Structure formats: structure tokens, C-alpha cells
Amino acid sequence: MVKKIKLLFVCSRNKWRSLTAEKIFHGINGYVVRSAGTEDSARIKVTSGHVGWADIIFVMEKKHVRRLRDKFNNELLNKKLICLDIPDDYQYMDEDLIEILQSRVSEYIDVPE
């Protein structure tokens, strides 16, 4: 049985960037995808459960790396934590955002054209 790779996308409020990523990568190559945010006001707030569940964690900005390390340092020990450097300049399902996500994420996982 092939183990499905679990991807977690994290931004600040889980409304635009990480939610868009969850939507566009869901079901591709059998990836299992979730998203969450680092702020208290996030739609879904990232928990140690999310971090423990994920095989690869993609964050949008360096501040998200810091926040995750501050809060979940032990859970992150054997995790792949990747910063995509995508600023909070996009709305949900913005075409430019989708293009940037596909191009940056495809450097780490197999994303069909």
C-alpha cells in the first residue's frame, strides 16, 4: 500500500493563501491536504495535531516558521518545514496566487502540469 503524503499549508488567518493551497493541491497525486493559520483569529488555528499529522509543512512567510517553531518546536523535529515566501497580497483562489503556489510547491513535491 502506498502511503499518502500529508501536506499542511500554513498562513496567518487561513482565509486566502493556505486555504487556496489546500483547495488546489487536494487530491493531486493522492496527496492529503489540510491548511491552518497561526493567528488567534484564524479560520482554523494550527495545532500540535496538525503538525504531528503532516509529512511536509509549507508556510507562506518566515514569520510563520518562527511562530511554528516557538509553539511546536518538539513536534517539528523530524518534519520538513518549507517557507514559500508568498506575501499576504492575494485573495482566495487568486489566479496569480495559484500560479505562484504551483510553481513554488512543485520544487518539493510532484505537481502535474
Side-chain angles (χ1 to χ4, degrees):
M1 182 159 138
V2 177
K3 181 181 179 295
K4 293 194 183 287
I5 295 178
K6 296 183 248 166
L7 309 176
L8 176 64
F9 289 92
V10 176
C11 67
S12 298
R13 290 186 310 275
N14 186 225
K15 290 208 172 89
W16 296 334
R17 292 172 292 174
S18 59
L19 196 56
T20 298
E22 178 177 10
K23 176 124 178 104
I24 64 174
F25 294 113
H26 178 77
I28 288 183
N29 289 354
Y31 295 124
V32 185
V33 186
R34 291 183 185 165
S35 66
T38 57
E39 292 182 8
D40 288 335
S41 61
R43 194 183 66 88
I44 294 173
K45 191 163 187 225
V46 68
T47 64
S48 63
H50 289 109
V51 174
W53 169 87
D55 295 311
I56 305 174
I57 302 168
F58 291 100
V59 299
M60 300 299 155
E61 300 174 68
K62 287 196 174 52
K63 69 181 177 189
H64 303 129
V65 172
R66 279 196 308 276
R67 288 176 190 164
L68 289 180
R69 287 206 194 286
D70 286 349
K71 230 174 163 177
F72 308 113
N73 203 27
N74 292 341
E75 292 93 329
L76 286 166
L77 285 177
N78 298 311
K79 299 287 174 180
K80 236 180 166 167
L81 183 58
I82 296 159
C83 182
L84 298 172
D85 278 317
I86 300 175
D88 194 1
D89 297 339
Y90 304 94
Q91 299 284 319
Y92 177 65
M93 295 306 284
D94 182 301
E95 282 179 17
D96 293 336
L97 174 59
I98 292 171
E99 220 168 272
I100 295 167
L101 280 164
Q102 287 172 328
S103 115
R104 304 231 170 122
V105 170
S106 67
E107 293 172 33
Y108 303 98
I109 61 171
D110 205 17
V111 177
E113 290 299 307

